[in-house]
Amino acid sequence: DTGVSQDPRHKITKRGQNVTFRCDPISEHNRLYWYRQTLGQGPEFLTYFQNEAQLEKSRLLSDRFSAERPKGSFSTLEIQRTEQGDSAMYLCASSGSAAAYEQYFGPGTRLTVT
Amino acid sequence: GNSVTQMEGPVTLSEEAFLTINCTYTATGYPSLFWYVQYPGEGLQLLLKATKADDKGSNKGFEATYRKETTSFHLEKGSVQVSDSAVYFCALPGAGGTSYGKLTFGQGTILTVHP
């Protein structure tokens, strides 16, 4: 297994546009997490899935944000009507249920909203 | 909710120097505690963990002891190398219930080691 992968690695978009990011977790992991990291800060939790069920969403996840994991494998995070404040690194992580806090992170998608 | 406070950085050391990065936490009960590391250009990876009070986590020469009396989990290494240059994050789980699985991170400490 090659680990958690994210696509794209970088995205530049204009304010008001929609963007979608993809995460492919480690294949045997049933839990998948999204975090957001801004410069000089630690990752902040956005949401997580166990299989295809979205079990928790942070208050940070406004209604412009939506995440899916339709078949319990890869996940997508969509941001509608992007704002400059959405500029950040979006991190995906996965884990098994037995060791939920031992999370394996992808390299992240850096979003820049101009 | 659970939270973690990490010493402000950055930290700059010479090779073979002793390293301490402070981390204190606020939590309900006694959750597991973690240190994650982010090397340049790479994703975060788990460095070490401790699952109960007085446990010592260790990996790659790094150690951290879970001190419930001082609610601390300081990261130490006796002799740092240039390859240890990275950003280090202290982390703990969210509180129970549906927060199980959510990690709360400190703001990170940038470590630079010079030859």
Side-chain angles (χ1 to χ4, degrees):
Chain A
D1 198 332
T2 56
V4 178
S5 61
Q6 293 187 245
D7 183 69
R9 295 289 303 274
H10 303 273
K11 178 71 177 179
I12 301 173
T13 191
K14 293 186 176 180
R15 189 177 53 191
Q17 297 295 303
N18 299 344
V19 295
T20 300
F21 310 142
R22 177 181 171 122
C23 171
D24 287 89
I26 292 172
S27 57
E28 60 264 32
H29 285 171
N30 61 350
R31 290 189 173 217
L32 186 147
Y33 312 83
W34 286 99
Y35 293 85
R36 181 170 67 188
Q37 186 177 18
T38 53
L39 197 61
Q41 300 297 317
E44 296 175 294
F45 171 81
L46 292 179
T47 188
Y48 89 92
F49 294 84
Q50 178 160 309
N51 301 312
E52 64 275 8
Q54 189 173 18
L55 296 186
E56 186 169 354
K57 293 194 297 184
S58 165
R59 286 187 293 270
L60 292 174
L61 212 65
S62 77
D63 53 9
R64 295 185 299 105
F65 288 70
S66 62
E68 294 183 341
R69 195 184 183 197
K71 297 182 180 178
S73 56
F74 73 92
S75 175
T76 57
L77 177 68
E78 180 183 18
I79 309 174
Q80 296 183 326
R81 306 180 303 281
T82 52
E83 301 173 356
Q84 287 190 319
D86 297 332
S87 295
M89 179 76 86
Y90 289 84
L91 301 174
C92 177
S94 69
S95 76
S97 297
Y101 300 113
E102 296 183 26
Q103 297 176 13
Y104 293 77
F105 283 79
T109 294
R110 181 168 295 285
L111 173 66
T112 303
V113 182
T114 62
Chain B
N2 294 352
S3 65
V4 60
T5 300
Q6 206 169 322
M7 70 180 288
E8 308 235 346
V11 175
T12 302
L13 296 172
S14 297
E15 210 164 22
E16 299 184 2
F18 183 84
L19 168 71
T20 299
I21 300 177
N22 291 340
C23 170
T24 57
Y25 67 90
T26 302
T28 304
Y30 301 105
S32 297
L33 300 173
F34 304 87
W35 278 98
Y36 276 78
V37 59
Q38 187 172 30
Y39 297 104
E42 298 184 16
L44 277 83
Q45 54 187 271
L46 178 65
L47 178 60
L48 55 81
K49 67 176 182 180
T51 57
K52 60 183 187 294
D54 299 324
D55 258 6
K56 178 182 284 188
S58 61
N59 186 27
K60 299 182 179 180
F62 290 88
E63 294 182 339
T65 302
Y66 190 156
R67 305 268 189 215
K68 67 176 182 180
E69 301 83 5
T70 53
T71 61
S72 65
F73 192 54
H74 304 324
L75 182 69
E76 297 181 336
K77 186 173 186 182
S79 176
V80 294
Q81 305 300 310
V82 172
S83 57
D84 294 326
S85 297
V87 186
Y88 293 82
F89 296 92
C90 187
L92 79 168
T98 57
S99 293
Y100 187 79
K102 161 188 171 182
L103 280 170
T104 297
F105 289 86
Q107 74 268 33
T109 300
I110 300 171
L111 170 65
T112 303
V113 180
H114 293 299

